[in-house]
Amino acid sequence: MTSTAQAPQPGARTAHPEHLGHVIFIAAAAAMGGFLFGYDSSVINGAVEAIRDRYDIGSAALAQVIAIALIGCAIGAATAGRIADRIGRIRCMQIAAVLFTISAVGSALPFALWDLALWRIVGGFAIGMASVIGPAYIAEVAPPAYRGRLGSFQQAAIVVGIAISQLVNWGLLNAAGGDQRGKLMGLEAWQVMLGVMVVPAVLYGLLSLAIPESPRFLLSVGKHDRAREILAEVEGQDVDLDARVAEIEQAMKSEHKSTFKDLLGGSFFFKPIVWVGIGLSVFQQFVGINVAFYYSSTLWQSVGVDPTESFFYSFTTSIINIIGTVIAMIFVDRVGRKPLALIGSIGMVVGLALEAWAFSYHLVDGKLPSTQGWVALIAAHVFVLFFALSWGVVVWVFLGEMFPNRIRAAALGVAAAAQWIANWAITASFPSLADWNLSSTYVIYTVFAALSIPFVLKFVKETKGKSLEEMG
């Protein structure tokens, strides 16, 4: 309705901006933090064996160096919201970009193992910030009619970042003659792999200078004129700006600042719905998905695959991850969250079980038998595909929708913290578990994938088509 006889509807839910291309650019620039999130999370894959060799360390120590970034992630994610509320979303992005850059340079030029670990923590802090600020900023700036599609940019950017890091690692390894410690530009190849992240980190910083601050933040600090300008820019000139400003301010006033105390209750410390969120986060990680991105090159080399080929397989796995993510983005609103999660769990059980079977065979001349080798390779791709088209996307959708309004922020924080902790547990334990028994390790992941099926059937409620207010 465009009639001026009626009062404009608050929010102008169907408003379309005149310059949609510019809005897409803003969302894509903000999602660059997601690209760095994916890139930094996965780039270490190319350096694992070189770090083990250079510093002559065992699997337990190696795992701590790889996993220690997750400590920084947890701290960054926990503090990003407060930082953004005080200094703005754009400043927060710029801090993350600087930390990404410092981490890349420091990781490329370490003088000791503890020094490398320190820069990993710094990069992790930036990852944690980016994981919170990107989606929040896009949600606040995107026109309501486009919010869902623009919000998906963050997840898409993450999986593209993972793929590009694997492709770059593969190219650098080839340039170094297939040796992770081969010389490139006066450094060892693995150092260059970690240092290359300077390029997207600087680009992220530059892009943050070209996009506007969130209207919500500007209103919170009294900059009403600038907020109105940006609302007109991203939502269109036909939107009633007075109504939009009033709507945002009213929402900010009525928001309940949920606290940890709000989550307490029920028979087991937390409210049941909070445990469901924690369960979703833990199952998402305990199927071992990050092994595929942190350790895949090491995994393939351990069963006799040539280092260069192992890097190529890591890249193809990342492409499958992108394809699965696109499938999830297409079907999550059509099929529903719960059916996708169940389909994904079944597919993951099959893929992981086949990997466990293949890895149970003894190596012949340092390699898996031909049949088992191909089964392991195909099954790894099947596992990643089914994870990406389901749990990779669906868990975040569930966590954003399933909690009652009065506890949403605090409950999401607890569930996200559980996810980082579970991520750390899997990342830190895999090298030692693989040394113990690689097949049994994959049996453990298979069991968790199988247990996720009754968990979803019994405890998880479908949220498709429901408003946030219907959650309670």
Side-chain angles (χ1 to χ4, degrees), residues 195-352:
V196 164
M197 200 180 74
V198 165
V199 176
V202 170
L203 179 59
Y204 181 43
L206 292 174
L207 286 172
S208 72
L209 298 173
I211 59 178
E213 182 54 86
S214 157
R216 185 184 177 93
F217 171 74
L218 291 171
L219 289 173
S220 73
V221 294
K223 297 183 178 180
H224 289 72
D225 291 341
R226 180 58 181 151
R228 289 168 62 90
E229 289 175 14
I230 295 169
L231 285 168
E233 182 181 331
V234 298
E235 296 195 9
Q237 297 290 339
D238 293 335
V239 173
D240 188 316
L241 297 179
D242 291 331
R244 280 296 285 128
V245 168
E247 180 186 24
I248 294 172
E249 290 185 324
Q250 182 59 37
M252 290 166 61
K253 288 177 184 176
S254 62
E255 280 178 354
H256 170 68
K257 299 292 184 183
S258 55
T259 65
F260 188 78
K261 281 185 178 181
D262 295 324
L263 308 182
L264 306 182
S267 304
F268 301 98
F269 193 68
F270 286 131
K271 295 179 187 295
I273 190 66
V274 179
W275 281 116
V276 174
I278 291 171
L280 285 168
S281 289
V282 170
F283 275 118
Q284 188 199 51
Q285 295 301 315
F286 275 16
V287 297
I289 186 60
N290 279 311
V291 169
F293 300 122
Y294 293 159
Y295 296 115
S296 58
S297 293
T298 296
L299 174 65
W300 296 123
Q301 289 173 54
S302 73
V303 293
V305 175
D306 174 81
T308 304
E309 287 186 1
S310 75
F311 274 59
F312 178 71
Y313 293 151
S314 295
F315 171 62
T316 59
T317 301
S318 299
I319 296 300
I320 293 296
N321 190 32
I322 293 174
I323 293 171
T325 301
V326 171
I327 292 172
M329 290 164 63
I330 292 172
F331 288 105
V332 69
D333 283 324
R334 298 180 184 181
V335 175
R337 292 84 164 112
K338 193 168 178 176
L340 268 188
L342 292 170
I343 291 168
S345 293
I346 293 168
M348 289 191 295
V349 168
V350 173
L352 289 167

Side-chain angles (χ1 to χ4, degrees), residues 24 54 76 87 109 166 185 285 301 315 326 350 362 415 440 464 467:
I24 291 173
R54 174 163 172 170
I87 65 174
L109 302 171
Q166 304 290 19
M185 296 180 283
Q285 295 301 315
Q301 289 173 54
F315 171 62
V326 171
V350 173
H362 293 294
S440 295
K464 172 191 171 186
S467 70

Side-chain angles (χ1 to χ4, degrees), residues 15-77:
H16 298 277
E18 288 82 3
H19 307 293
L20 182 58
H22 180 56
V23 177
I24 291 173
F25 168 77
I26 291 172
M32 189 68 188
F35 179 91
L36 282 164
F37 180 171
Y39 197 102
D40 188 76
S41 296
S42 184
V43 71
I44 194 68
N45 188 19
V48 173
E49 290 306 303
I51 292 171
R52 187 200 298 268
D53 182 61
R54 174 163 172 170
Y55 296 105
D56 191 26
I57 55 175
S59 295
L62 177 68
Q64 294 309 316
V65 174
I66 306 305
I68 200 167
L70 298 171
I71 296 175
C73 289
I75 298 171

Side-chain angles (χ1 to χ4, degrees), residues 26-35 37 76-77 80-81 84 88-90 92-94 96 100 126-142 147 150-155 157-158 204 211 214:
I26 291 172
M32 189 68 188
F35 179 91
F37 180 171
R89 283 60 166 150
I90 299 299
C92 203
M93 290 181 198
Q94 291 164 353
F100 271 125
I127 287 178
M129 292 183 73
S131 72
V132 171
I133 293 306
Y137 172 84
I138 293 172
E140 291 177 356
V141 173
R147 185 170 295 136
L150 294 176
S152 68
F153 278 26
Q154 175 80 357
Q155 180 64 22
I158 291 171
Y204 181 43
I211 59 178
S214 157

Side-chain angles (χ1 to χ4, degrees), residues 139-204:
E140 291 177 356
V141 173
Y146 295 93
R147 185 170 295 136
R149 280 165 284 183
L150 294 176
S152 68
F153 278 26
Q154 175 80 357
Q155 180 64 22
I158 291 171
V159 296
V160 170
I162 290 171
I164 295 298
S165 74
Q166 304 290 19
L167 180 61
V168 170
N169 283 356
W170 179 58
L172 291 173
L173 186 69
N174 276 290
D179 182 4
Q180 290 183 29
R181 297 198 63 188
K183 292 297 182 180
L184 277 179
M185 296 180 283
L187 300 172
E188 294 182 6
W190 70 273
Q191 293 176 272
V192 179
M193 291 175 189
L194 299 182
V196 164
M197 200 180 74
V198 165
V199 176
V202 170
L203 179 59
Y204 181 43

